[in-house]
Amino acid sequence: SAVKDEEEERPVDAFGQLKLPRILVVDDYASDARLMRRLFEAGQRFKVIETYSGTEALAAVERDVPDLIILDLALPDINGDQLLEMFRSRKETKHVPVIIVSAQEIGPNLRAQLAAQTDSIWSKGDLDRSSLLAHVEAMLSE
């Protein structure tokens, strides 16, 4: 049956549990990163890795390619849009979906450029966390 095939495709770890999809959060505000972690780990459906700079994010994807990246644009070392270019230029992360969640005002030119390379763009100011969670769940359950 189709259901059985779907189950077999998911990697199973040593404890016999399904491997949880991994979400890399890149946000220089630790409190915002922690909020994201709590949001996504609440239902125990995802594993979240927090990073607080572009350099840390790049090191994290070297160790373990995530299933999804949540990216803030305002980072201390590398602009989020530059970091996005870096993710897109590496074969390991080229196809990893990226969601931008930023407090930064995004002008129309940058928005168009980002939209071409990301799944969606969310504003921190009026972030509806339950909508974001539902969106991520839908993406990662495909």
Side-chain angles (χ1 to χ4, degrees), residues 81 84-85 88 94 96-98 112-119:
D81 51 326
L84 179 59
E85 295 275 335
R88 289 297 169 243
K94 185 194 244 4
V96 174
V98 175
Q113 178 193 326
L114 293 170
Q117 301 183 10
T118 59
D119 171 81

Side-chain angles (χ1 to χ4, degrees), residues 23-133:
I23 299 175
L24 175 68
V25 172
V26 190
D27 195 317
D28 63 326
Y29 279 104
S31 57
D32 288 356
R34 209 167 303 125
L35 267 175
M36 288 290 173
R37 173 194 287 268
R38 282 208 292 268
L39 175 67
F40 293 118
E41 287 193 341
Q44 293 167 340
R45 288 181 297 266
F46 305 108
K47 179 173 176 12
V48 176
I49 298 103
E50 290 178 48
T51 57
Y52 312 110
S53 69
T55 311
E56 281 183 30
L58 290 168
V61 298
E62 290 280 314
R63 286 192 302 274
D64 196 6
V65 178
D67 297 293
L68 172 71
I69 298 169
I70 297 208
L71 176 63
D72 183 16
L73 293 179
L75 298 172
D77 51 350
I78 304 169
N79 267 345
D81 51 326
Q82 292 172 307
L83 184 59
L84 179 59
E85 295 275 335
M86 291 178 190
F87 288 145
R88 289 297 169 243
S89 67
R90 296 172 168 221
K91 72 173 197 305
E92 310 78 43
T93 48
K94 185 194 244 4
H95 299 296
V96 174
V98 175
I99 292 178
I100 296 200
V101 178
S102 188
Q104 192 174 310
E105 272 299 309
I106 303 170
N109 291 348
L110 180 58
R111 182 174 283 274
Q113 178 193 326
L114 293 170
Q117 301 183 10
T118 59
D119 171 81
S120 53
I121 301 172
W122 301 66
S123 165
K124 275 187 187 180
D126 52 16
L127 183 63
D128 178 342
R129 288 209 283 275
S130 57
S131 294
L132 178 62
L133 179 60

